[in-house]
Amino acid sequence: MGIDARRGRLVELLGPVVAAEGFDLEDVTVTPAGRRRLVRVVVDKDGGVSLDDVADVSQSVSKRLDEVDVLGGSPYVLEVTSPGVDRPLTEPRHWRRARGRLVKAELSDGTSAEGRVTEADETGVELDGARRIAYGELVRGRVQVEFNRRDAGLDDELDEDLDVDEDIDDADDEG
């Protein structure tokens, strides 16, 4: 069985298992790792993927792989993960999940656009609340890594709203 055929069979086999857990199957790869093979399953969902989610999906996927001899009985290592920040944004769900993030989009006319995703629906994406781009115009996008994110001051505002220093002073007075 060739690499593409094996990948297709794994996607067909694992897609329903991952969907039953409430996730989208983003990718499946099989690569040699010494005497074993590394089976990497990439999953995602709205709201992100927690470590508990990864553990649950991993158990279900492992059980299904053990039931079916799609890997030819050879040993494998299973890795279930979420997509990294470098994953290209190619599907409407990817753009929806990037809401609030700074992205750079390659457009079908050869130009590019950069901005913060303020809205994404089934027809297109809106950048910075002003520019709307239909999915037909988008080739792909990438989330831009930000070290000083625009909303970084929110923690200071929350501390002011909670009067953290006053609560600590009151506790010292009581003791």
Side-chain angles (χ1 to χ4, degrees):
M1 183 183 296
I3 293 171
D4 290 337
R6 180 177 293 123
R7 182 188 179 284
R9 177 73 177 113
L10 283 168
V11 168
E12 182 181 302
L13 178 74
L14 299 178
V17 173
V18 170
E21 294 286 337
F23 297 87
D24 294 311
L25 179 61
E26 295 292 342
D27 196 16
V28 178
T29 58
V30 180
T31 53
R35 294 182 183 194
R36 300 172 183 236
R37 288 184 268 179
L38 173 63
V39 178
R40 181 173 289 129
V41 178
V42 182
V43 300
D44 201 6
K45 72 174 183 174
D46 290 352
V49 180
S50 71
L51 289 176
D52 289 337
D53 294 335
V54 167
D56 293 342
V57 172
S58 184
Q59 287 179 357
S60 297
V61 166
S62 179
K63 181 179 176 186
R64 186 66 179 137
L65 287 174
D66 290 345
E67 292 170 352
V68 180
D69 191 23
V70 73
L71 296 171
S74 62
Y76 66 91
V77 174
L78 175 63
E79 177 183 298
V80 176
T81 186
S82 61
V85 71
D86 60 341
R87 177 228 4 226
L89 307 174
T90 57
E91 301 288 332
R93 69 178 179 263
H94 300 160
W95 290 95
R96 185 180 65 244
R97 291 172 183 156
R99 187 176 291 132
R101 306 291 303 267
L102 182 64
V103 299
K104 184 171 185 177
E106 296 175 29
L107 305 179
S108 57
D109 66 3
T111 63
S112 65
E114 189 169 333
R116 196 166 301 280
V117 177
T118 55
E119 188 61 42
D121 56 30
E122 293 307 311
T123 61
V125 69
E126 191 171 292
L127 299 181
D128 292 326
R131 181 167 185 198
R132 178 131 183 108
I133 305 169
Y135 289 121
E137 298 175 64
L138 290 166
V139 174
R140 77 173 82 41
R142 291 221 183 256
V143 172
Q144 302 298 293
V145 176
E146 296 180 86
F147 293 105
N148 293 317
R149 198 162 166 183
R150 185 174 73 182
D151 60 354
L154 288 177
D155 290 342
D156 295 335
E157 292 173 24
L158 288 173
D159 287 347
E160 289 173 15
D161 290 343
L162 294 174
D163 293 325
V164 172
D165 292 335
E166 280 184 31
D167 293 340
I168 293 171
D169 290 340
D170 291 344
D172 288 342
D173 293 341
E174 293 173 11

